[in-house]
Amino acid sequence: MLTVLQYCTDAVALGCLFALGAIGVGIVFGVMRLANFAHGEFIMLGAYALLILSGLPWVLTWTLALCFVGLIALLTERVAFRWLRGADSSTLLMSSFAVSIFLQNSVIIAFGSRARAVKMPTFVNGSPVFFGLRIPVVSLLTISLTVISLVALVIFFKRTSLGLQMRASAEDFRMARLLGTPANRVVAAAFAISGGLACIVSILLTARSGTVVPAMGLTPVLFAFVAVTIGGLGNLVGSAVGGFLVGFITMGMQAVLPSGLSSYRDALAFLAVIAILVFRPQGLLPSIAVEERV
Amino acid sequence: MADRSEGPEKTSTWDRISPLITLIVFVCIVALLANAFASPSLKRVVLTTLLNMILVVGFYVFSGNSGIISFGHIGFAAVGAYAVAILSVPPTMKLVILPGLPSAISNLAFDSNLAMVCGAGVVAVFAALVGYPIVRLKGVGPAIATLALLQVIHVVIANWRSVTGGDSTLVGVPIDTTLWVALFWVVAALIVAYAYQTSRSGRRLRASREDADAARSVGIHVPWERYKALILSAAIMAVGGGLYGHYLGSLSPRTLYLTLGFLGILMAVVGGINSLAGVVTGVAVVSAIIEGLRRFADGFSVGSFELKGMPGLQEVVLAILLLIILIRMPAGLTGGREVNTRFLSRLRGRAKGDRETPVEGTSDV
């Protein structure tokens, strides 16, 4: 029983991590139809921001890192993606690869390609025991930060006019523009939020591993793609659900699969993506009007 | 699609194949010059360029003709590289490095060229098995599906210890990819690619690239045409991958993975992904830039002043180049045109008046 609960808390924590990544990717996909591969690099840059700022009090470090990644995200939009608005999805994806390579190698030029240790506040290393259940502080932190971000996002989307405009743009960008939605502001907001979410992921990842490395963004962004596709492209609730689902399923496979097969876990996740795209291209929770009309 | 005999302009055989001949002559001249004058290190650069050209031409056969960018094509090259290596590593060696291999495969010892052909066959079958669902997808689907396929291939290669050696490097692959071997396969790939794009099926596919709905409305089965192109291009990728293995002498799961995959896409897009001349130009131009940057990034000394190397610089410059091309000239440096050989025709006294070349960026050879 305890083992099952243990797995459950781990699965929830992992699901939260994937959900944050997936929403970060999904929010930009929603307004721009851009599957932003550079999101992984946002995560990586957040971790390097933590490395640079690690001398400061942790609240300050985290806040500054959050702002930094948000700004970087805005900058990539302004410099690269703005010119490609409305381009087809392959072009957009290629441009995000270019941005990703650019950011990653800029970091390699500045810091080298070796892994570096980051000093995190000491409290994240603990793992208190509740009723015999060992819950690492990192997991608690993951869950609470995810809940806070999700609540903040829901309030933003439901209660602010910018949030409303973003939802409208995600549904039909052209129509929303015709009705007076400021396109630049909506897209910029999407990138800023996406960057902020990426930075939360970097805080959590760095708290888990204690190290940063220029290539660290690849796995998170690939899994975010998986989650976004499974949940339904262009649908934020779907992205979040997809993230949790991927977290649960990967943990489940970790627990159930025999050791010889568990190394193929990631392959199964990506096979699931292909299967979803083929059999249910609108995702598990379809958004409106994904089918292109002729 | 129009029946050629009814077309207003009858084209001679020369007009039809001259764009291909030009490319082959260009590649051969570069290889001959490299062989005659280049230093050993530069010769290796030319050889790598030729190998990349096979991969990019393979990528072009599918993505260039169909307009669907496959982000996972390098995965076919990886499968091909391992298949070719497993077929051509000497059996005594295989017993040591891959003890888990079934003896039926373990005893095979193919000549390298035969192994390439068999590897291409294996990958063609593989592509035929996995490809059809992918070519039916729309919108962002193919991009994500091909990326996912690459991940699946990568994970399987990295974990299937008994066949691929897993995460550790597979060593002992015979090193016999010379400049001439590479040149032979480049020319073969160019001929196959050109023959395909000027074939009935190739033209149907190119029509669907311009307007998939219009193509469908005149009776073109778009997924089927894409499927055929995918299998052909996967086979070419396999040869490219196999040659890479026989060039490096070793393979690891990361040899043919995202980095080289991005590079291939970048080369194709920079040159112009819609034409064979475009992708060949792209490979040549980007390779030249890389070589220039490598010399710079490796560091050099001017008198007593020594500049330290700067890893990462090359990628940064290439990324900026790709972005500029995507934003400023999405059709690439060549604008998606084939080599215009009309001036050559005129020299031969065969020009048919001064008809203008249609400039739609999508010239039909």
Side-chain angles (χ1 to χ4, degrees), chain A residues 2-68:
Chain A
L2 268 182
T3 359
V4 174
L5 276 178
Q6 194 75 59
Y7 264 116
C8 285
T9 50
D10 289 352
V12 170
L14 195 65
C16 287
L17 212 52
F18 286 144
L20 286 176
I23 299 172
V25 171
I27 214 164
V28 169
F29 188 87
V31 293
M32 254 192 96
R33 293 291 176 264
L34 159 69
N36 191 5
F37 200 77
H39 195 76
E41 265 45 64
F42 295 167
I43 294 173
M44 182 271 295
L45 284 171
Y48 273 86
L50 295 177
L51 173 72
I52 301 166
L53 301 165
S54 60
L56 301 169
W58 64 270
V59 183
L60 199 58
T61 307
W62 292 7
T63 321
L64 284 176
L66 211 66
C67 299
F68 171 71

Side-chain angles (χ1 to χ4, degrees), chain B residues 98-107 162-163:
Chain B
L98 297 172
L101 212 59
S103 59
I105 301 176
S106 204
N107 289 332
S162 60
V163 173

